[in-house]
Amino acid sequence: MLTAILALAAVALALSFVLAIAARVFAVDVDPRAEKIEEALPGANCGACGLPGCSELARRIAEGKADIDACPVGGAAVARAIAAIMGQDFAGGGVRRVAMVMCNGGDESARRRFWYNGVRDCNSAALLFGGDKSCAYGCLGLGTCAGVCPFGAIDMTGAGLAVVDPARCTGCTKCVDACPKGIIRMVPADRTIHILCSSHDKGAKTRKVCAVGCIGCMKCVKAAPEGAIAMDRNLAVVDYEAEIPPEIAGECPMKTIHVRKLDGLADLDAAAGGER
């Protein structure tokens, strides 16, 4: 019995030496800055930076292989914290940007060519003649963008429209990539004028398929400060660098222009001249 115990002890001692040597030989040096950077990151592990998670991003930043502002969720505050860890200066970081669905053509406003009864996924629906909406640029309303949002910032309305809650949006842009129609844009959160249409069809065609689409009449372009709103292939587009008075929304005969305060939850459409 004693012999067996001594033998086992000897084996255990020998294995411990082997493990100690292996640990030393195969040890991986960890940059202490990477650990601090990971602590500074939001920890969402959402993949919005294009990497598998916050740990990998922290390692890349510490190695100088990723920018200190590579985390879109953390924004400027996190970038400044990381810059301090890395001993760098960070002068960037402007206005927070949030996602916005550039379509307001819900079931009550936009016509459908047929009724889609397949998989409830916008990408799948788009494979069938581009989707069931008569407008080729319209929100398909099946909620694929909402499904990929790791922060629950997108809700589906009863009218079949995706709507982003700016208070919950972190600007990760995953919804932008998920939308097969390409109608979700990142816009500055401090801007209030938005044209909720993405159609580049001519006005007559747009009017036939949607009651709230841009018909390219250019009334807003003429009424806005020079260059603040421009035409892009039959569609009025806001220059978010420009200051645009909220009264401009009243110029639109189709009620396509909305006044929304995105750095909070207030919807100022009513103040701009009626419910939209």
Side-chain angles (χ1 to χ4, degrees):
M1 182 67 179
L2 180 60
T3 302
I5 294 174
L6 291 174
L8 288 173
V11 170
L13 184 62
L15 290 175
S16 67
F17 276 116
V18 171
L19 290 174
I21 294 172
R24 182 175 293 275
V25 171
F26 297 106
V28 177
D29 293 332
V30 177
D31 190 332
R33 296 177 303 177
E35 296 179 349
K36 293 180 180 179
I37 292 171
E38 185 173 358
E39 292 175 359
L41 290 169
N45 290 310
C46 61
C49 61
L51 296 171
C54 296
S55 178
E56 179 63 13
L57 176 59
R59 186 180 68 81
R60 297 280 186 97
I61 294 175
E63 293 176 348
K65 297 179 179 177
D67 295 332
I68 58 177
D69 60 348
C71 175
V73 175
V78 169
R80 280 192 288 271
I82 294 175
I85 295 170
M86 295 293 290
Q88 300 178 12
D89 294 326
F90 179 72
V95 175
R96 184 172 74 97
R97 302 180 80 87
V98 297
M100 171 164 276
V101 181
M102 296 299 180
C103 175
N104 197 41
D107 291 339
E108 75 286 357
S109 305
R111 295 175 57 185
R112 293 184 183 272
R113 293 183 293 168
F114 56 90
W115 288 105
Y116 174 75
N117 194 28
V119 177
R120 291 194 62 76
D121 174 76
C122 296
N123 290 287
S124 298
L127 293 176
L128 189 64
F129 308 114
D132 58 356
K133 281 280 183 69
S134 295
C135 175
Y137 305 89
C139 174
L140 295 177
L142 296 177
T144 297
C145 55
V148 301
C149 178
F151 306 98
I154 301 180
D155 298 314
M156 300 306 300
T157 70
L161 274 180
V163 178
V164 179
D165 179 351
R168 287 180 281 162
C169 179
T170 63
C172 74
T173 73
K174 298 198 79 169
C175 58
V176 175
D177 297 333
C179 177
K181 293 294 183 179
I183 60 173
I184 302 179
R185 288 184 60 188
M186 302 303 297
V187 301
D190 64 343
R191 293 308 187 198
T192 57
I193 295 294
H194 310 281
I195 297 177
L196 299 189
C197 181
S198 298
S199 174
H200 291 284
D201 287 331
K202 292 184 178 179
K205 183 176 180 180
T206 298
R207 190 190 290 273
K208 286 182 180 178
V209 299
C210 183
V212 292
C214 174
I215 57 174
C217 67
M218 297 183 62
K219 287 188 175 180
C220 58
V221 175
K222 296 172 183 174
E226 184 176 359
I229 299 178
M231 296 304 297
D232 176 18
R233 293 173 293 148
N234 305 311
L235 175 66
V237 179
V238 168
D239 178 0
Y240 281 105
E241 298 297 321
E243 296 288 344
I244 304 176
E247 293 77 14
I248 204 73
E251 298 290 333
C252 180
M254 299 295 286
K255 298 184 178 180
T256 311
I257 302 178
H258 291 245
V259 187
R260 291 181 178 175
K261 184 176 172 58
L262 299 183
D263 56 359
L265 289 175
D267 190 327
L268 306 180
D269 282 345
E275 184 179 358
R276 290 172 182 273

